Amino acid sequence: MNDNTLQVRIWRGRGADEGRFVDYAVPRQDSQTVLDVVTHVQRVLDATLSYRYACRVGMCGSCAMTVNGQARWTCRTHVTKVVGSEGVLEIAPLAHLPVVKDLATDMSEFFDKWARARGRFSGTQTRHDDFARVSPATPERQAANAGIECIGCAVCYGSCDVVQWRPDFLGPAALNRAWTLVNDVRDTERTERLRAVAGDAGCHSCHTQGSCTERCPKGIAPTIAIAGLKRTVARAAVKGEL
Ligand code: FES
């Protein structure tokens, strides 16, 4: 190995197989991202490597992996930021999700939890109605705006210890989505949504460890969203609304 070569260890395996890390030597490039490294391995060194990406510019949320032990969006993570002093890059699938093959995980349960948290907008207006006018200055709209840019990459989910301890926990992204809708004055399913997140695997299971907020590549704070849900659920329960 020399300064122009990166030592890369990539997890290889299929489904519930135990799998193993395989070593590759990848040429270093200026401004090289972790996704560039994975792509080089697949296109030049081993065409059987499976992984997932789409946009390469931080919009689609499909490229998250575990890089040197931490969940990251690989298309916007420069190698120089994460490679250790020994020049080794270890790349594994995102944690807490079943592996399909190599670096590609099955995201079904992640998005199923969005559905369980009622993460879908429900309104009454049709395309024939005038636009709803919502002031951006209201506290509700500002709370919704703070979480609305989530790209569904599951970096927060792969970083959450509670998801690891109890796999039925809805997780940071689904609860953050629910919080944006609870604060959307156009939405008509507020009470049903609060019921959905108030259950045993909902917002009250969060231990406020903050890994989701620390690692979110979009700078969203699911910890704040979940705290908001806890307060709102408690108020609604006291009022007998749930
Ligand atoms: S490839 Fe789309 S966010 Fe990384």
Side-chain angles (χ1 to χ4, degrees):
M1 298 296 158
N2 56 50
D3 286 351
N4 295 322
T5 304
L6 197 59
Q7 188 184 339
V8 185
R9 306 181 70 226
I10 296 184
W11 194 91
R12 305 297 307 270
R14 187 186 285 274
D17 286 355
E18 285 192 358
R20 65 195 173 93
F21 281 97
V22 176
D23 292 331
Y24 302 93
V26 175
R28 284 196 145 173
Q29 307 282 349
D30 287 341
S31 303
Q32 189 176 27
T33 66
V34 175
L35 185 61
D36 291 336
V37 170
V38 175
T39 301
H40 177 89
V41 171
Q42 200 263 352
R43 292 192 181 164
V44 179
L45 303 177
D46 186 347
T48 66
L49 175 66
S50 297
Y51 66 113
R52 187 188 294 122
Y53 75 95
C55 72
R56 304 191 74 147
V57 290
M59 290 178 66
C60 72
S62 63
C63 68
M65 302 169 199
T66 304
V67 182
N68 283 3
Q70 188 167 311
R72 294 181 181 277
W73 57 352
T74 57
C75 72
R76 299 291 298 271
T77 300
H78 283 98
V79 169
T80 49
K81 262 184 102 176
V82 291
V83 74
S85 54
E86 293 168 359
V88 178
L89 199 60
E90 185 180 278
I91 307 171
L94 204 55
H96 311 152
L97 290 166
V99 173
V100 178
K101 181 173 172 289
D102 303 332
L103 302 173
T105 52
D106 182 351
M107 304 283 286
S108 302
E109 68 183 50
F110 174 71
F111 287 113
D112 284 350
K113 288 179 178 179
W114 286 48
R116 277 173 46 203
R118 289 192 173 252
R120 192 182 68 175
F121 174 78
S122 179
T124 53
Q125 289 189 302
T126 71
R127 62 197 173 101
H128 302 296
D129 295 316
D130 195 6
F131 286 110
R133 287 178 170 72
V134 181
S135 169
T138 61
E140 291 79 11
R141 193 60 236 169
Q142 289 184 357
N145 285 348
I148 208 75
E149 297 293 342
C150 174
I151 57 172
C153 65
V155 163
C156 60
Y157 195 82
S159 305
C160 177
D161 288 334
V162 181
V163 172
Q164 183 179 6
W165 296 330
R166 51 171 311 166
D168 60 337
F169 176 49
L170 291 173
L175 292 169
N176 176 74
R177 173 64 179 159
W179 179 238
T180 64
L181 292 170
V182 163
N183 284 286
D184 191 327
V185 294
R186 304 165 303 162
D187 187 87
T188 56
E189 291 190 358
R190 189 175 195 271
T191 302
E192 293 86 344
R193 188 166 295 106
L194 290 178
R195 281 195 195 113
V197 302
D200 195 36
C203 58
H204 293 292
S205 289
C206 171
H207 290 210
T208 321
Q209 290 177 316
S211 301
C212 53
T213 298
E214 186 186 308
R215 309 246 170 99
C216 174
K218 298 292 287 184
I220 294 171
T223 313
I224 292 175
I226 294 169
L229 284 176
K230 288 178 178 175
R231 286 194 306 274
T232 309
V233 164
R235 277 195 212 109
V238 168
K239 289 181 187 170
E241 294 172 359
L242 299 184

